[in-house]
C-alpha cells in the first residue's frame, strides 16, 4: 500500500539511574562506595533507505520510543546504554514538526543517517559523591528523561520527469510503454490512485526516472479531485511533461491552459520548471482534421511548426521543437510539442531521447 504521510510522536530513551553500592571484598575493610553510573538512553535516528518507497511502516502507529538506559551496577560498572531507535524512510521524505510546521529534515541522499533526538544522560553512581566529609554516601542521581516531539512525515517522490494531465489521457499507458513501471490501466477516469515511478532507458547506458500522478482537474490546487494530494509528488521533478489528449472532449488548448494554471496555483516554483508537451492518443482521434488541429494548438501557444530535428520524429503529423544548435534553450517555452501514440508506439522511442536531452538543459 502506498502511504505518503504519517503523524506520530517519538521519544528518545531515558537515562538509567546511578547505583548506590559499596565495595565488599575479603580482607578489605571499609572498601568504600563503588556504585556505577546509569547507562545513556537510546538516541533516535532517521535513515534514508532506497529499498523502501512508502511510509506504510508507520501506518496506524502513534508512538515510537528508543530504549531506556540500564541502571548502574556495583564495582563502578556503568549500566548498558539503551538501544538507538532508527526510523527508516525512503528518499524524498520531509520530517516536519507537527506543532510548528517547521521542516526539520529534508532527506534526499540515499544512505544518509541523521541524529534526531539524543537520549537522556545516565545518572551518577554514589562513587562520585565520596569526599573527606562524607566517605559513605548513599545517594545517586536519577537518569535524565528522554525528549519527546510530535512529528509529521511527508513523502515527495524524487523523479526527473513528472507527467501532468487530466484523468484518462494516457499517462499510465505512456509510462508503461516507456519504462519498467506496470501501472493499472483502464478506460475510465482516476484509474491511477497513487503515484508511480518508472525508469526509462535511453540507449544502452543512460536512463531517467519518470513519475505518474493521479489526473489533475479544474480546481485541483484548491482540493478538488486527487490532484492536490499528489501534486506534491512532482515538486521535486526537474522537468514536467504535459500530456494533452487529442481524443478528449476538451480542446487541446483548454486542457493545456487549465493544467498550467493549476500547477502555478499549487507552486510558483514548480510552474517555472523546464517542460515539454506530448499530444497523446493520436490513434484515437475522432475529429475531421488531426493535422489541422495540431497546427492550430501549436499556433495558439505562440509557436510555429518545425520541419526538422535531431531525434527523427515521425513526419506524419506536425510537431515543434526548439532548435538548440543555433539558439539557446528558452525556459519560457516547451522544449517540444510532440504527437505520440502509446498503442502504435508512434514517436515513443524518440520521446525518450528528447526528454533526456531536455534534462541536460537543466544542468
Amino acid at each position: 500500500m502506498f502511504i505518503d504521510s504519517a503523524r506520530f510522536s517519538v521519544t528518545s530513551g531515558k537515562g538509567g539511574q546511578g547505583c548506590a553500592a559499596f565495595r565488599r571484598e575479603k580482607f578489605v575493610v571499609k572498601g568504600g562506595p563503588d556504585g556505577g553510573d546509569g547507562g545513556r538512553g537510546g538516541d533516535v535516528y532517521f535513515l534514508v533507505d532506497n529499498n523502501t518507497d512508502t511510509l506504510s511502516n508507520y501506518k496506524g502507529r502513534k508512538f515510537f520510543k528508543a530504549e531506556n538506559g540500564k541502571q548502574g551496577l556495583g564495582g563502578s560498572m556503568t549500566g548498558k546504554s539503551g538501544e538507538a531507535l532508527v526510523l527508516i524512510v525512503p528518499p524524498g521524505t520531509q520530517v516536519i514538526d507537527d506543532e510548528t510546521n517547521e521542516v526539520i529534515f529534508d532527506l534526499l541522499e540515499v544512505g544518509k543517517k541523521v541524529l534526531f533526538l539524543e537520549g537522556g544522560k545516565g545518572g551518577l553512581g554514589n562513587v562520585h559523591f565520596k569526599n573527606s566529609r562524607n566517605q559513605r554516601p548513599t545517594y545517586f542521581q536519577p537518569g535524565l528523561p528522554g525528549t519527546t516531539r510530535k512529528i509529521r512525515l511527508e513523502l515527495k517522490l524524487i523523479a526527473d520527469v513528472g507527467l501532468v494531465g487530466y484523468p484518462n489521457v494516457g499517462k499510465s499507458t505512456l509510462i508503461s510503454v516507456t519504462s519498467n513501471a506496470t501501472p493499472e490501466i483502464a478506460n475510465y477516469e482516476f484509474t491511477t490512485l497513487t503515484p508511480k515511478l518508472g525508469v526509462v532507458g535511453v540507449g544502452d547506458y543512460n536512463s531517467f526516472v519518470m513519475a505518474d500522478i493521479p489526473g489533475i482537474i479544474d480546481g485541483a490546487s484548491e482540493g478538488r479531485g486527487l490532484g492536490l494530494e499528489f501534486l506534491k509528488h512532482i515538486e521535486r521533478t526537474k522537468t514536467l511533461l504535459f500530456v494533452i489528449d487529442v481524443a478528449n472532449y476538451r480542446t487541446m488548448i483548454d486542457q493545456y491552459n487549465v493544467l498550467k494554471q493549476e500547477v502555478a496555483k499549487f507552486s510558483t516554483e514548480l510552474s517555472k520548471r523546464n517542460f515539454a508537451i506530448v499530444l497523446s492518443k493520436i490513434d484515437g482521434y475522432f475529429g475531421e482534421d488531426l493535422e489541422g488541429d495540431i497546427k492550430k494548438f501549436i499556433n495558439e501557444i505562440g509557436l510555429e511548426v518545425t520541419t526538422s530535428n535531431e531525434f527523427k520524429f515521425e513526419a506524419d503529423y506536425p510537431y515543434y521543437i526548439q532548435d538548440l544548435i543555433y539558439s539557446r534553450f528558452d525556459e519560457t517555452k516547451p522544449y517540444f510539442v510532440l504527437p505520440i501514440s502509446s498503442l502504435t508506439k508512434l514517436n515513443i522511442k524518440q520521446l525518450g531521447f528528447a526528454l533526456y536531452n531536455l534534462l541536460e538543459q537543466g544542468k
Side-chain angles (χ1 to χ4, degrees), residues 41-350:
D43 298 328
V44 178
Y45 292 88
F46 280 100
L47 174 64
V48 185
D49 184 5
N50 201 34
N51 293 318
T52 180
D53 56 5
T54 175
L55 299 174
S56 58
N57 288 340
Y58 305 101
K59 179 177 174 59
R61 303 282 298 275
K62 298 299 181 184
F63 186 72
F64 290 86
K65 187 179 186 303
E67 188 177 65
N68 293 334
K70 304 300 182 183
Q71 181 178 358
L73 303 172
S76 297
M77 289 190 293
T78 301
K80 182 181 178 181
S81 295
E83 186 175 344
L85 172 65
V86 180
L87 300 174
I88 297 176
V89 296
T93 301
Q94 287 186 331
V95 182
I96 304 170
D97 188 303
D98 202 29
E99 297 178 333
T100 65
N101 283 326
E102 173 194 1
V103 177
I104 304 169
F105 299 120
D106 196 0
L107 303 172
L108 303 175
E109 184 181 342
V110 174
K112 186 174 184 179
K113 186 177 182 180
V114 295
L115 175 64
F116 178 43
L117 299 176
E118 291 187 353
K121 184 179 179 181
L124 298 177
N126 68 338
V127 69
H128 293 279
F129 302 106
K130 177 183 176 181
N131 55 50
S132 59
R133 299 181 60 184
N134 184 5
Q135 297 188 16
R136 194 178 184 278
T138 59
Y139 50 85
F140 54 86
Q141 287 181 335
L144 295 179
T147 304
T148 299
R149 291 189 73 172
K150 295 180 179 179
I151 61 171
R152 186 173 74 252
L153 302 184
E154 296 283 352
L155 173 61
K156 298 179 180 180
L157 298 180
I158 302 174
D160 299 303
V161 177
L163 301 182
V164 182
Y166 270 86
N168 198 33
V169 296
K171 300 190 303 299
S172 295
T173 307
L174 175 59
I175 198 172
S176 71
V177 298
T178 56
S179 75
N180 61 350
T182 55
E184 180 181 353
I185 299 172
N187 190 27
Y188 54 82
E189 295 192 347
F190 294 113
T191 309
T192 302
L193 298 178
T194 59
K196 298 290 188 301
L197 291 179
V199 178
V200 181
V202 181
D204 295 329
Y205 305 105
N206 299 318
S207 64
F208 60 87
V209 178
M210 181 180 287
D212 176 23
I213 66 168
I216 296 174
I217 62 175
D218 308 47
S221 60
E222 300 169 359
R224 294 186 62 196
L226 300 175
L228 178 62
E229 183 177 353
F230 294 109
L231 269 170
K232 63 186 178 185
H233 288 296
I234 57 173
E235 276 191 285
R236 298 192 193 278
T237 56
K238 299 176 182 178
T239 61
L240 300 179
L241 181 63
F242 289 91
V243 182
I244 308 298
D245 181 5
V246 301
N248 199 285
Y249 66 89
R250 308 175 186 90
T251 65
M252 286 184 272
I253 190 63
D254 285 345
Q255 292 179 63
Y256 176 72
N257 287 337
V258 169
L259 293 173
K260 289 283 286 184
Q261 291 169 8
E262 293 301 326
V263 169
K265 289 178 183 177
F266 176 76
S267 169
T268 303
E269 181 66 26
L270 185 61
S271 66
K272 296 178 182 178
R273 302 280 165 83
N274 296 343
F275 69 102
I277 302 170
V278 291
L279 307 178
S280 69
K281 296 187 178 180
I282 295 298
D283 54 278
Y285 177 79
F286 52 82
E288 298 179 354
D289 185 8
L290 176 56
E291 183 176 340
D293 285 347
I294 293 175
K295 288 182 178 179
K296 179 182 178 182
F297 172 71
I298 292 175
N299 293 332
E300 285 176 329
I301 60 176
L303 306 173
E304 295 182 358
V305 172
T306 309
T307 56
S308 63
N309 67 93
E310 60 181 297
F311 304 108
K312 298 181 180 179
F313 293 157
E314 297 289 345
D316 297 349
Y317 302 101
Y319 60 85
Y320 163 83
I321 186 168
Q322 291 191 36
D323 184 359
L324 301 185
I325 297 178
Y326 300 104
S327 305
R328 296 185 60 182
F329 177 70
D330 188 344
E331 298 176 352
T332 65
K333 298 178 181 179
Y335 178 44
F336 58 79
V337 179
L338 180 64
I340 66 168
S341 170
S342 299
L343 182 63
T344 65
K345 304 297 190 297
L346 175 73
N347 282 326
I348 294 300
K349 185 176 182 180
Q350 296 91 324

